[in-house]
Amino acid sequence: MPDIQDSLDRIAADMAGRMDRGEVAHYIPELARVDPARFGIAVALPDDRVLSAGDSTLPFSIQSISKVFTLSIALGRLGDQLWSRVGREPSGQAFNSILQLEHEKGRPRNPFINAGAIAVTDAILAGHQPKELLGEILRFVRAAAGDDDIHINHAVARSETATGHRNLALASFMKSYGNLINPPELTLGAYFHQCAIEMSCQQLARAGLYLTSAAGTPRMLGPDRVRRINAIMMTCGHYDASGDFAFRVGLPGKSGVGGGILCIVPGKASVAVWSPGLNKQGNSQLGTEAIERLASDMGWSVFGASHTANPD
Ligand code: GLN
């Protein structure tokens, strides 16, 4: 098995030379300004080491990766009651699709598509002010990462608030079916701010360690819940490309339109990668490729180890 650091260095060097990097997210104006040439990757290990390459200390917008943390908080707080509000089946639809929501009477397919994540945020917001909930989300993420220097980028949150009409449609639609407790604007205010949390690859990789369930990592919620979150990451974490990610990488992962991906190697490691250019499903184009390479180099897969360079 090659050395992790060697693999990261080779991957970062290869990615630096790529011309076709995908498209940065344009529908959130602040994200459209991010330099598509950035690339960072980090691996956090249960023994406290963090290995990295490229722009691994630069903070980026975690966007939908925040949905893993709010799901963790919601399961910790509400337990299985949460599943009355949201399902746990892959959607096979774009992350912001409205189509299924009408067919399924306002109950989103899973907690990682936008509608599902908005329902989760709404559930944990109930009885609190958005500021209090955002404080709780930040405390959770900082404790998981063991790092207090993690913040919300308010310009990104404002930018999405000004342009997030589709999310407002999803929230209003759920409200009409009685599947939203708070006013749509209030829940979305919290949702846009959780998405605007910024972390570096090194911070994000550390923050994911609790999902590896490895000895010595922070215990943020019970092991059964951690296993289930991993299952949902595997089946739903990349929207309508979740099957392809499972096929290519074989690990639970969650992407965000900021170009980040958090990927869990159960019992072994937590990986974060960032490359702002997205593929047409809204997942980081080079980030996906980088994790595929790293997993293949290391023989990391929940389906059994493999050391074949080109498994196709
Ligand atoms: N804030 C983004 C949105 O709601 C998150 C989407 C994503 O990262 N896939 O559109």
Side-chain angles (χ1 to χ4, degrees):
M1 196 205 303
D3 181 76
I4 297 176
Q5 187 64 55
D6 279 356
S7 174
L8 296 179
D9 290 340
R10 274 186 290 112
I11 291 168
D14 179 19
M15 295 305 165
R18 294 300 185 84
M19 301 307 285
D20 180 8
R21 310 182 74 86
E23 288 276 321
V24 297
H26 286 291
Y27 75 101
I28 302 175
E30 273 295 306
L31 295 185
R33 298 170 21 161
V34 177
D35 179 1
R38 296 290 182 195
F39 178 88
I41 188 162
V43 176
L45 300 170
D47 64 7
D48 247 13
R49 278 183 301 153
V50 179
L51 308 172
S52 61
D55 300 312
S56 68
T57 57
L58 278 187
F60 63 88
S61 196
I62 67 167
Q63 291 296 319
S64 283
I65 302 169
S66 66
K67 297 169 181 175
V68 175
F69 304 122
T70 45
L71 176 62
S72 301
I73 293 170
L75 286 175
R77 206 184 310 153
L78 309 173
D80 287 341
Q81 264 178 25
L82 182 71
W83 304 119
S84 65
R85 307 260 328 252
V86 61
R88 42 190 194 238
E89 289 293 340
S91 69
Q93 305 281 334
F95 65 90
N96 55 6
S97 170
I98 200 161
L99 210 69
Q100 236 161 26
L101 203 55
E102 179 164 24
H103 276 299
E104 300 182 358
K105 303 198 169 19
R107 181 175 177 259
R109 271 282 172 106
N110 68 65
F112 291 159
I113 52 173
N114 282 9
I118 292 167
V120 169
T121 298
D122 182 69
I124 51 178
L125 177 60
H128 301 264
Q129 290 302 315
K131 252 202 162 92
E132 293 169 340
L133 175 62
L134 291 165
E136 183 178 351
I137 297 171
L138 278 175
R139 276 195 299 281
F140 184 97
V141 173
R142 288 169 179 165
D147 189 340
D148 281 345
D149 192 17
I150 295 171
H151 308 278
I152 293 171
N153 182 326
H154 290 275
V156 172
R158 267 197 306 277
S159 175
E160 194 172 4
T161 306
T163 55
H165 309 297
R166 205 179 248 262
N167 285 321
L168 186 58
L170 291 168
S172 304
F173 210 79
M174 287 191 286
K175 184 83 179 164
S176 79
Y177 277 105
N179 195 15
L180 207 77
I181 299 165
N182 304 283
E185 288 78 4
L186 201 73
T187 298
L188 283 179
Y191 170 77
F192 291 145
H193 282 79
Q194 83 181 47
C195 288
I197 293 173
E198 291 192 331
M199 294 167 86
S200 69
C201 288
Q202 293 192 12
Q203 289 172 324
L204 183 59
R206 273 189 204 278
L209 274 174
Y210 77 95
L211 294 166
T212 67
S213 288
T217 57
R219 190 180 157 114
M220 307 298 294
L221 74 173
D224 289 349
R225 298 241 151 85
V226 165
R227 250 200 318 272
R228 287 174 157 176
I229 292 170
N230 273 277
I232 301 171
M233 290 173 78
M234 177 69 97
T235 52
C236 311
H238 283 73
Y239 316 112
D240 47 338
S242 299
D244 193 56
F245 191 84
F247 179 84
R248 287 168 62 182
V249 180
L251 294 168
K254 181 74 208 83
S255 67
V257 290
I261 301 175
L262 172 65
C263 195
I264 304 302
V265 194
K268 293 202 173 88
S270 165
V271 183
V273 65
W274 173 48
S275 173
L278 309 177
N279 61 21
K280 60 179 190 315
Q281 286 93 4
N283 303 312
S284 176
Q285 180 163 309
L286 297 189
T288 306
E289 217 185 295
I291 294 205
E292 184 179 12
R293 286 258 307 267
L294 178 68
S296 163
D297 281 355
M298 295 302 131
W300 285 339
S301 163
V302 299
F303 303 111
S306 143
H307 298 286
T308 323
N310 284 306
D312 286 337

